[in-house]
Amino acid sequence: MVLHGNCIAKDKVCDTIPFILNAPFIASLQDGIVIRINYIEGNRAMSVYKILLADDELALRFLLTETLSDEGYEITEVEDGQQAIEQLQKEVYDLIILDYMMPERTGVEVCEWLRNSDNPNKQLPLILLTAKALDKDKEKAKAAGVTTYIVKPFSPIQLLDTVQELLKGQVK
């Protein structure tokens, strides 16, 4: 079920409308409520980029979600590879971030599944986070279709820069 609404912000002094915030709410009984917000400034609309983040480490997911959310990205979190596949079958994203070593399915296995599927997310940029720094692991990831490989430990700012670079060429 999709519910739509507008929030109009007016200046108290001159009663002008500097911007309109259009926020369709996508309600799902099973998954709670997801909010997709489109910012409308003047004649220009900007959609929020949607990112799927799959990592089995709760603390790292929290850190990355906070870092990316603070920059305006909409983050969907899952904790294993199978949940990532299930989420990719339900939603369309702009970018995917996967941990290499996760329960159920590894990030490489998720990437292989995605690249060989007819899923609408098939061609998205995909970042693989890993502690595996060996060349054979990087080659395996590249063969699976990983766009970028980031070795742990890394700075959240490094990830943010990589995300921005990968999304720069996409039109919203």
Side-chain angles (χ1 to χ4, degrees):
M1 174 188 337
V2 178
L3 307 170
H4 295 278
N6 289 326
C7 176
I8 301 172
K10 294 183 178 184
D11 185 294
K12 288 184 178 182
V13 177
C14 57
D15 200 32
T16 60
I17 303 174
F19 68 89
I20 299 172
L21 175 66
N22 174 316
F25 296 85
I26 303 167
S28 167
L29 295 176
Q30 183 178 13
D31 300 318
I33 296 177
V34 176
I35 302 172
R36 178 147 177 134
I37 299 175
N38 298 318
Y39 298 95
I40 302 172
E41 299 178 33
N43 296 330
R44 199 180 93 178
M46 293 174 32
S47 292
V48 175
Y49 284 107
K50 292 176 61 173
I51 298 174
L52 176 63
L53 171 61
D55 197 304
D56 58 324
E57 291 182 46
L58 179 61
L60 183 58
R61 274 198 329 267
F62 176 79
L63 174 64
L64 297 181
T65 296
E66 288 298 307
T67 301
L68 294 166
S69 294
D70 285 350
E71 293 298 317
Y73 297 108
E74 179 184 320
I75 309 302
T76 301
E77 294 180 41
V78 296
E79 59 189 45
D80 67 48
Q82 185 58 42
Q83 288 178 4
I85 289 173
E86 291 166 6
Q87 198 60 40
L88 287 164
Q89 291 172 326
K90 288 192 264 185
E91 292 263 352
V92 175
Y93 293 93
D94 298 299
L95 185 129
I96 303 162
I97 302 171
L98 301 173
D99 183 28
Y100 195 123
M101 298 302 297
M102 292 185 289
E104 305 302 326
R105 296 210 190 183
T106 68
V108 170
E109 290 171 339
V110 173
C111 186
E112 287 172 338
W113 168 84
L114 182 62
R115 299 303 192 218
N116 292 312
S117 73
D118 290 330
N119 191 284
N121 295 299
K122 178 179 184 170
Q123 298 299 323
L124 292 184
L126 192 145
I127 300 171
L128 189 70
L129 308 176
T130 184
K132 293 177 162 258
L134 298 176
D135 286 339
K136 68 176 185 171
D137 295 316
K138 290 180 182 179
E139 290 169 14
K140 185 176 182 181
K142 186 174 181 176
V146 168
T147 310
T148 303
Y149 190 96
I150 298 179
V151 178
K152 295 177 184 177
F154 59 89
S155 157
I157 301 304
Q158 177 190 1
L159 178 66
L160 185 58
D161 290 345
T162 302
V163 165
Q164 290 171 340
E165 185 66 30
L166 290 172
L167 291 175
K168 189 184 339 180
Q170 292 189 17
V171 177
K172 283 299 286 177

